[in-house]
Amino acid sequence: MSEAGWLRADGEGTVIAVRVTPRASADGVDGVVRMGDGAEWLAVRVRAVPDKGAANVAVAATVAKALGIAKSGARIVAGTTSRQKRLYVDCPPDAVLSAFGGR
């Protein structure tokens, strides 16, 4: 079971619920946001446009950089055509919580 609604342990890594804002002025991770329905997501913004997977690649790279892991250590596992995605990272949940200030 996870320590926060926006992440869960998955083997050696973590699956993170991510809400993406494409076409932003800069790439970055804005922290955890709570939506009107109570769901929590890690807000990530990327400059890339959502065309031919460019935004997905940018999301994975932005989160990997923020966690200090290799780009290959982050990949989209669900939601490739949606703003709301699931991202697997090769990083334990406690390290993700520490990096992004989870609850």
Side-chain angles (χ1 to χ4, degrees), residues 38-99:
E40 292 180 325
W41 300 86
L42 183 66
V44 178
R45 55 189 156 71
V46 294
R47 292 178 298 213
V49 297
D51 184 40
K52 298 179 181 145
N56 290 334
V57 171
V59 167
T62 299
V63 172
K65 182 177 179 180
L67 287 171
I69 63 174
K71 286 181 188 179
S72 62
R75 63 188 173 278
I76 304 291
V77 293
T80 56
T81 60
S82 172
R83 287 184 61 164
Q84 298 171 334
K85 305 177 183 302
R86 300 280 187 235
L87 181 72
Y88 178 86
V89 293
D90 293 331
C91 194
D94 56 343
V96 174
L97 281 170
S98 176

